[in-house]
Amino acid sequence: MEVPAFRLLVAAALLLAFVAGLVNRWRRRSKYDLHRIPGPPAYPLVGNMPQMLQWEKPQMHLMLLEWVKKYGKIVK
């Protein structure tokens, strides 16, 4: 039974993408425990954007300054 070349090409491309993703994740791994950095709770993918959009003032940088006062100079 002969497998078409297109299917082999797709399978090879998927395998290559998977391996490249693993290598990229390994290279970008953090040397620090980023979960210990204080900061406001955030949602996956959107982060703190909902909190910023609900803020009554139009200057979002003022909210960031409030977070710095509350959580310290390093905020995630």
Side-chain angles (χ1 to χ4, degrees):
M1 185 165 143
E2 185 177 327
V3 178
F6 179 73
R7 285 187 183 180
L8 287 175
L9 185 62
V10 169
L14 290 174
L15 181 63
L16 182 64
F18 179 73
V19 170
L22 288 177
V23 169
N24 187 29
R25 186 173 182 171
W26 178 77
R27 290 181 66 204
R28 292 179 49 192
R29 72 188 187 282
S30 177
K31 296 177 184 175
Y32 308 102
D33 190 9
L34 299 178
H35 297 289
R36 300 187 76 184
I37 297 175
Y43 297 104
L45 300 179
V46 293
N48 296 101
M49 191 56 67
Q51 295 169 351
M52 290 185 176
L53 293 176
Q54 291 176 357
W55 206 47
E56 60 272 359
K57 297 179 183 178
Q59 295 93 358
M60 289 185 202
H61 67 282
L62 297 176
M63 178 177 248
L64 295 174
L65 290 175
E66 285 184 12
W67 288 346
V68 167
K69 289 178 188 174
K70 184 175 180 181
Y71 298 108
K73 291 184 178 181
I74 299 176
V75 179
K76 71 172 180 175

